[in-house]
Amino acid sequence: MAKLIVGLGNPGPQYAWTRHNLGFLVLEAFCAQQKAVLRNSPGNHGMLARGLINGVECSLLMPMTFMNDSGVSVKKMVDRAGIPLEDILVVCDDLDLPLGRLRLRPSGSAGGHNGLKSIIQDLGSNQFARLRIGIDSPKNADGTIDYVLANFTPAEKKALPDFIDHALDCVTCWVTEGAQAAMNTYNTKTKGLS
């Protein structure tokens, strides 16, 4: 059965290297690794690519709806392709995890993430996997929106390639071996600033 991997972010060059776009950055790297080409998919309100991971068909989706309406794109894709919820993995940033920490869960709450909240609302379920990628939290809690929409610092940007490779390995493990194997291996490791 085909899998759906969704990377969350905001469209537009002004958001390309912001912390909130980490899901997009991982999906773009995944497409590059798989030699898959993201193409405009108006019917799904997003950019879509298809790839094969160890023989498993995968659809790779970047919603172009802006973060708070990510569910619109995911729901369209799920309805059109008839994808079971257990075959969906959403990749997004997480303020509650230190930079470099991954946390994969087979289901769960939005945890304050508006993209996940939108997907849960539009699917009418939280029974899909999510890979949360730590971006650390701002020193000032009142500055959360500015923090997630700010660009990565030069030091963080330097660490990103290793960090993204780590996330790609986790996604590949989820596709080929399942959520439990991926959680056992990747929820305990940290890959961040040295």
Side-chain angles (χ1 to χ4, degrees):
M1 176 60 76
K3 306 281 188 185
L4 173 61
I5 301 162
V6 182
L8 297 187
N10 287 306
Q14 69 272 37
Y15 297 110
W17 290 100
T18 61
R19 294 182 178 98
H20 220 19
N21 267 38
L22 196 46
F24 273 14
L25 293 173
V26 169
L27 202 79
E28 287 166 351
F30 203 63
C31 286
Q33 185 186 74
Q34 298 300 317
K35 297 182 174 47
V37 179
L38 282 161
R39 291 190 167 87
N40 190 26
S41 180
N44 294 308
H45 301 283
M47 301 289 287
L48 184 63
R50 302 202 189 274
L52 267 183
I53 302 167
N54 292 353
V56 180
E57 280 183 45
C58 294
S59 294
L60 310 166
L61 177 67
M62 283 172 42
M64 292 286 116
T65 52
F66 287 93
M67 185 67 82
N68 293 1
D69 289 320
S70 299
V72 172
S73 176
V74 175
K75 177 84 162 76
K76 285 275 188 192
M77 183 74 196
V78 166
D79 288 350
R80 283 166 170 257
I83 299 165
L85 297 188
E86 63 268 19
D87 289 330
I88 300 170
L89 175 64
V90 177
V91 182
C92 63
D93 60 293
D94 192 304
L95 282 164
D96 295 326
L97 294 173
L99 188 75
R101 176 61 65 89
L102 304 180
R103 182 169 295 148
L104 180 73
R105 292 282 183 263
S107 62
S109 72
H113 194 286
N114 288 335
L116 288 175
K117 191 186 297 181
S118 172
I119 295 169
I120 290 168
Q121 184 177 324
D122 284 26
L123 293 180
S125 174
N126 66 1
Q127 297 299 302
F128 57 87
R130 66 285 316 271
L131 175 60
R132 295 172 177 272
I133 306 177
I135 58 169
D136 224 340
S137 54
K139 305 295 177 254
N140 173 8
D142 294 335
T144 298
I145 292 172
D146 289 340
Y147 178 78
V148 298
L149 293 179
N151 287 339
F152 286 102
T153 66
E156 289 169 344
K157 213 166 176 180
K158 193 174 174 185
L160 271 180
D162 281 348
F163 190 17
I164 288 172
D165 282 348
H166 188 53
L168 295 184
D169 290 344
C170 181
V171 171
T172 300
C173 185
W174 176 83
V175 168
T176 57
E177 298 178 51
Q180 194 59 55
M183 287 191 293
N184 290 348
T185 303
Y186 293 94
N187 285 0
T188 56
K189 294 181 180 177
T190 298
K191 194 87 164 172
L193 298 171
S194 51

